[in-house]
Amino acid sequence: RFQKIFEEGPPSIVPKETFHEMELAAQRLTQNIGYQGAGTVEYLYNADTNEYYFLELNPRLQVEHPVTEGITGTNLPSTQLQVAMGIPLYNIPAVRMLYGKDPEGTDPIDFLEERYVDIDTHVIAARITAENPDEGFKPTSGSIERIKFQSTPNVWGYFSVGANGGIHEFA
């Protein structure tokens, strides 16, 4: 309940240099606490003052991770598993391509100093939810009677639907 319905990125309202400052602040935060792994650092941004404020650090992938994947071209669960297996982040081909490097190369990337290639995509993800008004608008699993979704390489969806047509309660 009270989850974001839309997630988009990169944030079009934030100037490029301010966004880069936010990224560096997130990297410094994780270094200062000794965190290594996939995670999400969230900020609140005030467009009037061009200031941002730390909101939270989630030491896990979030449901919105496909937005980051669409922007970066990087499969985050796969990357997370490779890092857990001891493969340096700079050796992962998708990460190397994001930084404009040879995907087969092995030269280190200084993530605090080097910048990734300019992002030329924008991604919007929508979460479709069901609530029961007779139960105080609590989430409900409901059932699907009809669905028509036409996926393309740039538009896709995923659903948790059981054999009986019911939607999984955590979908």
Side-chain angles (χ1 to χ4, degrees):
R1 188 103 214 255
F2 304 116
Q3 294 291 313
K4 291 178 277 190
I5 302 298
F6 292 99
E7 183 77 25
E8 73 172 310
S12 56
I13 194 170
V14 180
K16 191 174 186 176
E17 281 307 309
T18 302
F19 188 68
H20 183 62
E21 290 172 21
M22 295 165 86
E23 292 171 323
L24 292 175
Q27 289 173 317
R28 287 190 303 271
L29 169 65
T30 58
Q31 283 188 336
N32 286 339
I33 63 173
Y35 182 76
Q36 293 184 353
T40 305
V41 177
E42 294 187 14
Y43 299 100
L44 292 174
Y45 176 71
N46 183 332
D48 292 334
T49 63
N50 193 36
E51 295 177 313
Y52 57 93
Y53 306 91
F54 173 77
L55 182 61
E56 64 181 350
L57 166 64
N58 293 301
R60 59 181 166 76
L61 291 179
Q62 292 188 268
V63 70
E64 302 91 346
H65 80 268
V67 171
T68 303
E69 291 180 331
I71 294 167
T72 64
T74 304
N75 179 321
L76 293 181
S78 172
T79 300
Q80 185 178 28
L81 288 171
Q82 291 175 72
V83 169
M85 293 185 319
I87 299 171
L89 191 59
Y90 63 79
N91 276 354
I92 298 172
V95 173
R96 295 188 62 77
M97 290 179 7
L98 178 62
Y99 279 80
K101 304 285 187 181
D102 175 7
E104 302 303 319
T106 59
D107 55 307
I109 299 171
D110 184 341
F111 295 105
L112 285 174
E113 295 296 325
E114 296 184 51
R115 295 183 83 158
Y116 50 80
V117 298
D118 286 337
I119 302 297
D120 64 356
T121 60
H122 194 83
V123 177
I124 298 176
R127 182 181 303 177
I128 300 171
T129 61
E131 296 177 340
N132 185 341
D134 296 330
E135 295 289 328
F137 292 94
K138 290 181 183 175
T140 184
S141 58
S143 64
I144 295 176
E145 295 179 18
R146 181 173 56 104
I147 187 168
K148 182 179 180 184
F149 190 85
Q150 297 174 331
S151 293
T152 70
N154 294 323
V155 178
W156 52 270
Y158 60 91
F159 307 91
S160 297
V161 182
N164 66 353
I167 302 171
H168 187 277
E169 64 182 303
F170 299 114

